[in-house]
Structures are given as structure tokens and as C-alpha cells.
Amino acid sequence: MSRHEKLLSNVRNNPSDVRYEDLENLCTAYFGPARQRGGSHAVFRTPWAGDPRVTIQADGNGRAKTYQVRQVLAAIDRLLREEVSGERKGEDKGKEKGEGKGERRKNEKEGKNRR
């Protein structure tokens, strides 16, 4: 079991008692370096469309906030599920090969891409 897998297991077992530094290391391992780091917050990118970020911050005692720990766990679970199922990160499922966003909308209006 790798260091990050062991840390992930510990976080899953007790999400209310996670050091901010440990959560930050876990996020860096799964999502890459923080895209923004300011004051008490760190923002990490996730590979899917929509709300592609995970924000974490420390409480006053050097611990991560519990609700943010749960959000990170949900994001990691989704990432792992997508890797197992073979979906590509950030893939647009409704997009046909060579079809741009504007073309796709036009085709949807004309009824060509009914789902």
C-alpha cells in the first residue's frame, strides 16, 4: 500500500480529525499542485467539467474542515471510478468526432442529436 493510499484510508476512517497538511498532500497527489493558494485556502483543479475545483482550508487548530474533507473524498472517489471505467478526464460525452460546441448546438436545435 502506497503512502497516499494509506493516508486516504486514514482520512476515510476519521474525516473529522484530519490535519490540513495531510489533506493538502492528498489533494496534490490526486489533483496536482494547487492552482491557487492564498491565505488559508488552497484550490485544486479536478479533471471534469462543471465545477472543476476542490477548495480546502484549515480551521484555527491546523485541522481541515470536516465538510471539505468529505468533498475531497467524494472527488477522489469520482476520479477513481472514472479511471476504472475507462472514461477520459474532461471528456464531453455528447460530442461527436470533429464537432465543435457551436455545431453541436445547431445540430441539437435541428433535432439531429436527440438523446
Side-chain angles (χ1 to χ4, degrees), residues 86-105:
E87 291 181 28
R88 288 190 307 213
K89 296 175 185 168
E91 183 178 77
D92 187 351
K93 294 178 184 177
K95 187 174 177 180
E96 292 179 18
K97 194 171 188 175
E99 186 180 271
K101 192 183 238 180
E103 248 180 89
R104 186 169 59 252
R105 286 188 183 145

Side-chain angles (χ1 to χ4, degrees), residues 6 10 16 42-43 49-50 54 57 82 95 102-103 107:
K6 190 173 186 179
N10 290 340
S16 62
V43 180
V54 171
Q57 78 186 98
E82 288 179 2
K95 187 174 177 180
E103 248 180 89
N107 288 339

Side-chain angles (χ1 to χ4, degrees), residues 26-74:
L26 200 57
C27 287
T28 301
Y30 283 94
F31 305 118
R35 70 174 183 158
Q36 182 179 347
R37 192 180 309 262
S40 62
H41 289 72
V43 180
F44 294 88
R45 287 185 185 176
T46 58
W48 47 83
D51 192 15
R53 66 178 179 254
V54 171
T55 303
I56 61 171
Q57 78 186 98
D59 66 6
N61 301 321
R63 297 280 180 214
K65 295 193 173 191
T66 305
Y67 79 95
Q68 291 175 339
V69 172
R70 289 189 184 111
Q71 289 173 348
V72 168
L73 290 173

Side-chain angles (χ1 to χ4, degrees), residues 71-87:
Q71 289 173 348
V72 168
L73 290 173
I76 290 172
D77 288 343
R78 179 177 175 185
L79 183 68
L80 295 175
R81 268 194 319 272
E82 288 179 2
E83 285 179 359
V84 168
S85 69
E87 291 181 28

